[in-house]
Amino acid sequence: GAGVSQTPSNKVTEKGKYVELRCDPISGHTALYWYRQSLGQGPEFLIYFQGTGAADDSGLPNDRFFAVRPEGSVSTLKIQRTERGDSAVYLCASSPSGTRYTGELFFGEGSRLTVL
Amino acid sequence: QKEVEQNSGPLSVPEGAIASLNCTYSDRGSQSFFWYRQYSGKSPELIMFIYSNGDKEDGRFTAQLNKASQYVSLLIRDSQPSDSATYLCAVFNPIIQGAQKLVFGQGTRLTINP
């Protein structure tokens, strides 16, 4: 597709369960970002990939959160032992990046996670 | 102190009037500034960016930057009901090693009243 694709669009899980959220960026975009957005708040940075490697994971809240991008395209955000406080919309964004950073991020529609 | 601060609103403006949205930031090394618009239940989309002090105009939108005051604003002229959305201010500092991220404010909810 032409845009950033995220699946699932909605996920309801129980406290303590494991969750995976998938992001398929725009073809050719080397930079990929995960943000988390709670109701009434702006997006909160989680992690940034340049290619296959996590260039900045300073926003991951704790070791229950992990993300991978093994082939430099699709990324998966993994959350272990989910807690009610993890409930939010998880936004993925990509950008062409490279050597010049423009700041324009192309966002997917998000994955809404609800932890009961 | 939050890195990027915005008044959460709601800001209510009559149709046809000028809407003024404000943002302050704490990192003096910030060099790029962005305004994203987010409709309810949708993802953010970029509407303006500015790098230099002064004004930048694009159609009905004007971004204003004052680095000395660490202040950036967005003006929307001839406001339309379709401008009703949350406006997110975002800031980028390219100098910090490895920190290739946009930092967002909490957003200002704007309502244009017909």
Side-chain angles (χ1 to χ4, degrees):
Chain A
V4 177
S5 175
Q6 290 188 247
T7 55
S9 56
N10 276 287
K11 175 70 176 179
V12 180
T13 191
E14 294 179 343
K15 180 175 178 295
K17 298 292 188 182
Y18 170 81
V19 165
E20 287 190 355
L21 307 175
R22 175 191 165 101
C23 173
D24 195 348
I26 292 172
S27 178
H29 281 192
T30 58
L32 184 146
Y33 302 78
W34 284 99
Y35 281 81
R36 175 170 71 174
Q37 189 172 26
S38 300
L39 192 63
Q41 300 298 312
E44 173 194 15
F45 171 79
L46 296 177
I47 187 168
Y48 155 67
F49 288 90
Q50 181 62 261
T52 60
D56 183 355
D57 64 358
S58 61
L60 293 177
N62 51 60
D63 61 7
R64 294 186 300 104
F65 289 75
F66 189 71
V68 295
R69 194 186 185 198
E71 297 177 357
S73 179
V74 171
S75 175
T76 304
L77 178 66
K78 307 180 181 191
I79 310 174
Q80 298 178 320
R81 305 182 304 280
T82 51
E83 300 177 357
R84 292 192 180 86
D86 298 335
S87 297
V89 175
Y90 288 80
L91 293 167
C92 178
S94 69
S95 85
S97 182
T99 58
R100 183 184 178 91
Y101 184 83
T102 67
E104 178 167 13
L105 301 184
F106 297 83
F107 283 90
E109 290 299 315
S111 292
R112 181 178 298 279
L113 174 66
T114 304
V115 182
L116 301 177
Chain B
Q1 181 187 11
K2 291 182 181 178
E3 290 185 66
V4 181
E5 297 210 42
Q6 298 180 252
N7 187 323
S8 61
L11 175 65
S12 187
V13 172
E15 184 175 358
I18 295 175
S20 178
L21 303 160
N22 305 314
C23 172
T24 58
Y25 59 94
S26 60
D27 181 1
R28 284 197 171 275
S30 300
Q31 296 190 5
S32 309
F33 307 86
F34 305 85
W35 285 98
Y36 280 75
R37 177 177 62 200
Q38 187 174 28
Y39 291 113
S40 181
K42 298 295 184 182
S43 57
E45 56 178 335
L46 180 69
I47 53 172
M48 291 264 329
F49 64 89
I50 186 167
Y51 301 142
S52 303
N53 277 327
D55 294 1
K56 180 182 178 183
E57 188 174 317
D58 183 1
R60 296 187 296 111
F61 298 93
T62 299
Q64 299 175 317
L65 174 62
N66 183 327
K67 290 185 178 180
S69 299
Q70 296 176 245
Y71 177 92
V72 58
S73 66
L74 179 70
L75 301 178
I76 306 174
R77 289 182 299 282
D78 187 24
S79 298
Q80 303 297 309
S82 59
D83 295 327
S84 298
T86 295
Y87 289 81
L88 298 162
C89 173
V91 169
F92 177 61
N93 181 344
I95 295 175
I96 297 175
Q97 185 70 26
Q100 301 285 326
K101 64 187 184 188
L102 283 188
V103 179
F104 286 85
Q106 69 180 82
T108 298
R109 188 156 56 94
L110 173 66
T111 300
I112 306 301
N113 300 309

